Amino acid sequence: MAINVADGGIKNYHNYFVPEDFLSRDSRTRTIRLRDGQRGVYASEDFITSLHAGLDEEVGDASSLVMYKNGYEWGVSDMKRFAEKMRHEFGGGKLDIWQMNRKFVLESWWWPLTTEGWGAWAIDFSFEKQGMVFVTIKNSAVAKAMEQVGKPVCYMYAGMFAGVFSVFDREERGGIEVQCYSMGNDCCKFIVGSQKKVNAAEFWRREGASAKEIMEKLVD
């Protein structure tokens, strides 16, 4: 579980506190780059709203699955990129992310996304033995861009968390949003776990159960 930046690890800048620490803008090419050179893109609230509206118009109810799958692929790709970065930055080129402190790794992964405007998160590992992790997001970029529609809208987040934990746990995970800002709540809540757990949560959500009730049912 050791983290040792001195033993072969990168000895320079590690933490990011504002977007300017994590992103660089090239005024000549008008491009945005992450610190590791990966291409970034600016997405406004209008873009997010239009993307969801366009998908709804084109594929109807299947739009939620499209957003979930996009989020999943993003999560898998981003965690694989991040795992390599962590291996060299904190693992001395020897330790992989699953050999490091779990919470440290995941907090390090999410923090740049917080500075980029994707919201602040909290992870509840209390029910790992039951095969689940609970994630809370405040100021979801998707939910804040959408109207109060009375149903979950953060399918991309759910997919992203499923992808990230699938890579980290080296086992297929699913994700589902059980509470959303667009439903009038102050934050969004997600459950990440086996597909069996996710399917059960989806059933109870459709039956009108609250996030608290769903979580209680899943841990019984």
Side-chain angles (χ1 to χ4, degrees):
M1 303 295 283
I3 298 168
N4 189 346
V5 298
D7 184 18
I10 297 171
K11 302 178 179 63
N12 57 10
Y13 207 77
H14 295 289
N15 301 310
Y16 315 109
F17 297 99
V18 293
E20 289 71 23
D21 289 338
F22 188 67
L23 303 171
S24 62
R25 294 173 173 81
D26 188 322
S27 57
R28 184 179 60 83
T29 60
R30 301 183 68 82
T31 57
I32 300 173
R33 297 281 179 183
L34 278 63
R35 183 168 287 275
D36 61 5
Q38 192 176 42
R39 180 75 178 268
V41 64
Y42 174 76
S44 65
E45 287 192 356
D46 287 341
F47 172 82
I48 294 172
T49 303
S50 299
L51 175 63
H52 283 75
L55 278 174
D56 283 339
E57 186 175 333
E58 290 294 324
V59 299
D61 291 340
S63 62
S64 59
L65 179 60
V66 172
M67 294 304 298
Y68 180 89
K69 290 292 187 183
N70 282 336
Y72 182 89
E73 293 301 326
W74 177 19
V76 167
S77 175
D78 199 50
M79 182 49 73
K80 287 181 177 179
R81 173 196 64 80
F82 179 75
E84 186 64 17
K85 170 180 176 292
M86 288 291 285
R87 186 171 187 271
H88 292 286
E89 186 171 357
F90 291 105
K94 304 170 187 176
L95 296 180
D96 290 311
I97 52 174
W98 42 83
Q99 297 172 288
M100 302 180 190
N101 180 278
R102 182 179 178 86
K103 189 164 186 179
F104 172 78
V105 171
L106 292 169
E107 290 290 351
S108 297
W109 168 71
W110 183 260
W111 177 248
L113 291 169
T114 297
T115 68
E116 291 170 26
W118 288 95
W121 86 339
I123 315 176
D124 184 352
F125 292 108
S126 302
F127 301 99
E128 279 191 292
K129 290 184 178 179
Q130 286 89 346
M132 292 178 297
V133 172
F134 299 142
V135 179
T136 299
I137 293 288
K138 290 189 176 181
N139 298 317
S140 158
V142 172
K144 289 191 71 177
M146 307 288 281
E147 296 180 359
Q148 297 287 314
V149 294
K151 63 179 182 179
V153 297
C154 301
Y155 294 99
M156 184 170 65
Y157 279 80
M160 178 169 57
F161 296 145
V164 163
F165 278 92
S166 292
V167 173
F168 190 91
D169 293 340
R170 292 174 290 173
E171 187 174 342
E172 190 67 24
R173 301 297 187 200
I176 185 170
E177 185 179 23
V178 292
Q179 176 180 300
C180 190
Y181 179 82
S182 68
M183 300 165 66
N185 297 290
D186 63 348
C187 62
C188 303
K189 292 183 178 291
F190 302 82
I191 295 172
V192 182
S194 68
Q195 198 57 52
K196 182 178 179 181
K197 293 281 190 182
V198 169
N199 291 343
E202 183 176 14
F203 170 78
W204 284 315
R205 189 187 69 185
R206 289 180 176 177
E207 290 293 302
S210 67
K212 184 173 183 291
E213 290 169 338
I214 292 172
M215 292 175 183
E216 289 173 349
K217 289 176 182 292
L218 288 175
V219 299
D220 281 345

